[in-house]
Amino acid sequence: MSSAPGNEGTFRQGAFVTTRWSLILSGANSKIGEEDTRAALAELCRIYWRPIFAFVSRRGYSAEDAEDLTQDFFVMMLKGDWLQKADPNRGRFRSLLLKSLQNFLNDATDKTHTHKRGGRVRFVSWDEWIAEPPSQLSISTQTLNSLPAERLFDVRWAATVVERALRRLREECECKGRSRVFDVLSAYLTAEREDVSCASLVETLGVPQGTVKKLLYRMRQRYRWFLRDEVAQTVENPADTEDELRYLCGALAASSEQATL
Amino acid sequence: MSFHGFTDSLAASTSQPNECPHCHTAVRVSNGLCLRCLLQAGLTEDEDPGRESLDALLFEMEMMIPTGVSGTTRSSRRFGGAEWV
């Protein structure tokens, strides 16, 4: 998995920190660093293609049309002057992306009827994007069917952020040959203390109770850091990370309420 | 046209995941973990423990666990003139 700019230092105190999104914004009206800006934008697109595709699909397009439209949207973003047009004055990457996508689909509605598939040049590495590890998002049919496209976009976005943080934690354990530690303890990342049976974990992992507790504590800390780092890459200022997390938590709560209406 | 990779774009599973007893949402990710609780965890700010602290613990485990128990083969390591086996 590629590292974000400031991968190990997004929250360094007192330091000026560059997130992917702030890098993109700073390069929006300048030719200097254009390549870095486009690379950062391409990386964000690669990470967040699923929310885009989910939104387009929920708008009622067939899977085939949704794929074409998602592809066209990314081409428009990466090859055009999307950022200048999008007025990135501007907000977070997530909200700007959604607004742009809504506008894009409004413009594209007529085009899809006359569009001929198969003859177009593909500019983005679509095959690479969809070849990444699958998502394991599980959602009830009732909730899924009740969500409007905008809400589904947020849920899918939240899942992407969380799954990337989990993957980075797994990779950290794996590179020490301890993927089993991740497999066993990740189930307890959000568990209340009373819900954790240290005795059974001691038996499963074959280490003393003190080590189990320390491992779990450290894994939770590390997970939190990865999560905040992932979110920070989509906001201009890392200080906005909490607000973005709160927004996504709220979106999850609202989606559940929507399902029960 | 192949849609490999798209099937999980809306959701990997539309079974009926259990409602989380803590936040009462029913959206799960890997290991059956609650998506909202995992997000909420990010709101508890603490210092970055750094990669070293988790690494140190994983290494500590390596010293304790007999070969094969955690699915890996322990290799010997050299520290100065000494060798851990």
Side-chain angles (χ1 to χ4, degrees):
Chain A
M1 179 176 300
S2 60
S3 298
N7 191 16
E8 292 294 329
T10 312
F11 300 105
R12 274 175 300 173
Q13 275 191 332
F16 175 78
V17 219
T18 305
T19 69
R20 279 201 190 96
W21 187 225
S22 66
L23 179 71
I24 293 163
L25 291 177
S26 65
N29 297 310
S30 161
K31 289 284 174 194
I32 302 164
E34 194 174 11
E35 203 172 308
D36 288 346
T37 304
R38 287 205 184 278
L41 185 56
E43 176 66 0
L44 282 181
C45 290
R46 187 189 66 77
I47 294 168
Y48 292 102
W49 70 266
R50 282 193 172 91
I52 302 288
F53 181 79
F55 182 92
V56 177
S57 298
R58 178 45 52 96
R59 279 288 190 91
Y61 294 98
S62 68
E64 207 171 28
D65 281 343
E67 191 204 4
D68 280 349
L69 285 165
T70 305
Q71 166 86 12
D72 289 349
F73 179 66
F74 283 132
V75 169
M76 183 272 292
M77 282 182 71
L78 298 173
K79 298 289 174 184
D81 52 355
W82 166 70
L83 207 52
Q84 285 83 351
K85 284 182 185 165
D87 182 23
N89 232 336
R90 315 192 221 210
R92 295 165 193 164
F93 178 61
R94 175 187 45 74
S95 51
L96 197 59
L97 196 66
L98 179 58
K99 190 164 188 345
S100 299
L101 180 60
Q102 288 166 326
N103 292 338
F104 172 82
L105 287 181
N106 290 339
D107 292 344
T109 303
D110 294 334
K111 291 179 195 166
T112 55
H113 296 304
T114 53
H115 203 78
K116 284 186 180 175
R117 279 190 203 93
R120 292 179 306 152
V121 179
R122 303 242 155 184
F123 293 105
V124 297
S125 310
W126 193 242
D127 289 343
E128 280 176 35
W129 293 5
I130 62 175
E132 67 178 18
S135 168
Q136 295 183 49
L137 177 66
S138 173
I139 187 167
S140 75
T141 316
Q142 186 189 3
T143 304
L144 186 62
N145 292 339
S146 68
L147 296 180
E150 287 77 5
R151 193 59 80 193
L152 182 62
F153 177 89
D154 286 341
V155 170
R156 207 36 281 185
W157 191 279
T160 302
V161 166
V162 161
E163 289 189 316
R164 275 183 62 84
L166 287 172
R167 210 177 305 153
R168 285 171 71 181
L169 184 60
R170 167 185 277 282
E171 284 170 358
E172 196 155 296
C173 292
E174 270 175 358
C175 78
K176 284 284 159 189
R178 293 293 164 196
S179 51
R180 181 157 167 74
V181 171
F182 176 85
D183 292 341
V184 172
L185 293 184
S186 64
Y188 301 94
L189 281 174
T190 60
E192 298 290 332
R193 189 172 293 187
E194 57 270 23
D195 296 333
V196 180
S197 166
C198 275
S200 83
L201 292 175
V202 163
E203 200 174 314
T204 307
L205 290 172
V207 293
Q209 184 164 314
T211 306
V212 167
K213 285 182 177 173
K214 278 193 280 184
L215 272 171
L216 192 51
Y217 177 72
R218 290 299 185 196
M219 275 184 65
R220 284 175 169 176
Q221 269 190 322
R222 199 69 179 137
Y223 163 73
R224 278 198 289 271
W225 193 86
F226 281 139
L227 179 67
R228 293 172 68 85
D229 185 58
E230 286 298 328
V231 174
Q233 298 307 323
T234 69
V235 295
E236 188 171 5
N237 185 340
D240 296 332
T241 299
E242 287 212 8
D243 280 348
E244 179 69 355
L245 274 168
R246 285 203 179 87
Y247 173 85
L248 293 172
C249 282
L252 260 294
S255 67
S256 289
E257 284 163 18
Q258 206 138 20
T260 56
L261 289 177
Chain B
M1 184 177 298
S2 164
F3 290 103
H4 169 72
F6 288 98
T7 49
D8 62 344
S9 294
L10 294 175
S13 162
T14 51
S15 58
Q16 303 297 326
N18 294 334
E19 187 179 288
C20 172
H22 301 295
C23 73
H24 306 290
T25 61
V27 184
R28 306 274 176 164
V29 287
S30 58
N31 232 340
L33 287 163
C34 169
L35 178 57
R36 189 173 179 219
C37 288
L38 281 167
L39 279 173
Q40 194 79 35
L43 289 169
T44 314
E45 192 168 5
D46 47 26
E47 280 184 27
D48 170 28
R51 183 181 182 136
E52 294 74 23
S53 56
L54 183 58
D55 275 2
L57 276 169
L58 294 173
F59 177 67
E60 199 179 307
M61 276 189 78
E62 193 174 356
M63 293 297 100
M64 283 184 279
I65 301 176
T67 305
V69 167
S70 71
T72 60
T73 305
R74 190 204 303 176
S75 56
S76 62
R77 291 191 181 205
R78 288 194 169 276
F79 294 91
E83 184 180 65
W84 289 87
V85 178

